[in-house]
Amino acid sequence: MTSFASSADLEAKQQTLEILGDGVYALTAEGDPNVGAIEGEDFLVCFEAMATPVAASDWLRLLREHTTKPVRYLVLSHYHAVRVLGASAFGAGVIVAHDNTRALIAERGLEDWQSELGRMPRLFREPDSIPGLTWPTATFSDRITIHLGGERGEVVLAHCGLGHTEGDIVAWLPRQRILFAGDLVESQAALYTGDAYHREWASGTLDRIAALGARTLVGGRGVVARGEQAVTGAIMQSRDFLNTMLARVGAVHEAGGTLAQAFNAAHGALAPRYGRWPIFEHCMPFNVSRLWDELNGVRRPVIWTAERDREIWAELVRGDDPPQPPAALRG
Ligand SMILES: [Zn+2]
């Protein structure tokens, strides 16, 4: 059997700090979760917190070569452990997230922590440095604007609809047309949809993101998309990934097939284009499982636990004898 999720992915990734505009920074890492920072006149807005305080400290050391301003706002795009559990390293005055993100941390934060630690142990550098769950101290439902001071303009934090989770937000710099999209858009990395609302994400939510008209886009993972064409490409890729899953899993569901057949159909359709991108194999069993639930009318994503992760993996990921889709659906 293939190694569970990313448990065998132990090779460190190269981190690159990129300057996207005056006082706007992103750290990318060859498909590991991206983070960012935006300078106000006398403070910083940081975007995403990494998996542990020790991992976050390395990012802050790199950032401190460019600015010594204190972190006033730490913005969390959504509740996933690898995005939030490093928060204590920032010493932020305010931790900002969507209303639903705080509710999800209360409802399933502990289970998600255990699940993600098992799936991606490499990202959890010194897991004992995590002091506990991260609790947002300011939440909102639609949008909120942070005024950066001086001539720096503003950061708009906005909820664009249901998507990667129930509570994703993006950070948008209208003056510089830079967008931090969280996991709602990936640029040359696979999408994780195990906690997603596929239909809303693939339609209205991505429509609203595209309508912003970004010229630079930092996705949740993968390279920074620079220029209108690259931004459009990243959004189109994310939409295509979702629509392909919806079509293939939907067809097997409609034909009365099984979850395993749906997995094979979606995997087979996506692999030629996305199979080599980071975390593709890791994501697919969880993605198809969630979409199958969604097609069965399960409105809210079921909570992933370390045990449920292993069960789904064992059910869907087999070495030699993959289940075939129904004959009518092949090719
Ligand atoms: Zn996520």
Side-chain angles (χ1 to χ4, degrees):
M1 183 183 290
T2 313
S3 298
F4 170 70
S6 294
S7 61
D9 169 11
L10 300 174
E11 195 181 327
K13 296 286 191 276
Q14 180 66 43
Q15 296 185 325
T16 307
L17 186 147
E18 302 187 38
I19 299 174
L20 307 180
D22 184 22
V24 185
Y25 309 93
L27 187 80
T28 60
E30 301 183 307
D32 276 358
N34 295 331
V35 295
I38 302 146
E39 284 188 45
E41 270 304 273
D42 54 4
F43 64 90
L44 281 171
V45 180
C46 284
F47 188 77
E48 312 284 40
M50 298 191 142
T52 71
V54 167
S57 297
D58 280 358
W59 150 233
L60 289 169
R61 249 191 303 283
L62 284 172
L63 183 61
R64 290 305 179 211
E65 293 173 10
H66 298 272
T67 171
T68 57
K69 294 171 186 172
V71 180
R72 185 179 296 169
Y73 301 99
L74 173 62
V75 177
L76 305 174
S77 72
H78 62 288
Y79 76 95
H80 282 151
V82 298
R83 306 275 168 187
V84 304
L85 291 178
S88 63
F90 292 78
V94 186
I95 300 178
V96 190
H98 191 268
D99 294 336
N100 291 348
T101 290
R102 197 176 200 284
L104 285 159
I105 289 168
E107 179 194 45
R108 60 184 70 191
L110 281 172
E111 288 86 349
D112 182 68
W113 178 352
Q114 293 308 317
S115 159
E116 295 199 45
L117 178 61
R119 292 178 183 188
M120 292 172 276
R122 178 173 56 77
L123 296 181
F124 286 80
R125 291 202 14 237
E126 300 191 34
D128 291 343
S129 65
I130 300 168
L133 291 173
T134 297
W135 295 105
T137 56
T139 65
F140 65 95
S141 61
D142 183 24
R143 63 164 55 200
I144 191 170
T145 302
I146 296 173
H147 300 275
L148 295 169
E151 300 296 310
R152 292 178 179 275
E154 59 200 29
V155 185
V156 179
L157 306 180
H159 177 60
C160 297
L162 296 173
H164 173 72
T165 70
E166 270 168 26
D168 301 272
I169 58 174
V170 300
W172 168 233
L173 291 123
R175 178 173 301 191
Q176 291 161 298
R177 308 198 80 74
I178 297 171
L179 181 68
F180 291 89
D183 274 331
L184 288 169
V185 180
E186 309 294 356
S187 182
Q188 298 173 29
L191 270 67
Y192 175 70
T193 71
D195 297 303
Y197 292 75
H198 290 75
R199 283 176 286 216
E200 287 95 334
W201 186 0
S203 52
T205 301
L206 283 180
D207 288 346
R208 283 184 276 278
I209 288 171
L212 292 169
R215 293 294 176 271
T216 305
L217 184 149
V218 183
R221 293 171 179 262
V223 300
V224 175
R226 293 174 184 263
E228 192 175 354
Q229 201 177 345
V231 170
T232 303
I235 295 170
M236 278 176 55
Q237 173 226 308
S238 301
R239 204 192 296 266
D240 177 67
F241 193 104
L242 293 166
N243 282 336
T244 303
M245 283 190 56
L246 280 160
R248 297 307 177 111
V249 175
V252 174
H253 190 264
E254 188 124 320
T258 66
L259 173 63
Q261 289 167 335
F263 173 77
N264 252 39
H267 189 286
L270 289 167
R273 186 161 177 206
Y274 305 106
R276 289 173 173 275
W277 287 0
I279 70 169
F280 175 77
E281 296 295 343
H282 164 147
C283 289
M284 284 306 293
F286 310 120
N287 289 0
V288 174
S289 174
R290 165 54 191 158
L291 178 51
W292 193 253
D293 282 351
E294 204 175 320
L295 295 170
N296 279 331
V298 179
R299 180 62 183 155
R300 298 193 66 229
V302 177
I303 296 174
W304 289 104
T305 64
E307 295 72 32
R308 181 166 169 251
D309 284 1
R310 299 272 174 178
E311 284 164 18
I312 287 292
W313 194 269
E315 184 179 345
L316 295 182
V317 184
R318 297 172 202 188
D320 304 316
D321 189 20
Q324 293 296 310
L329 298 171
R330 279 178 216 150

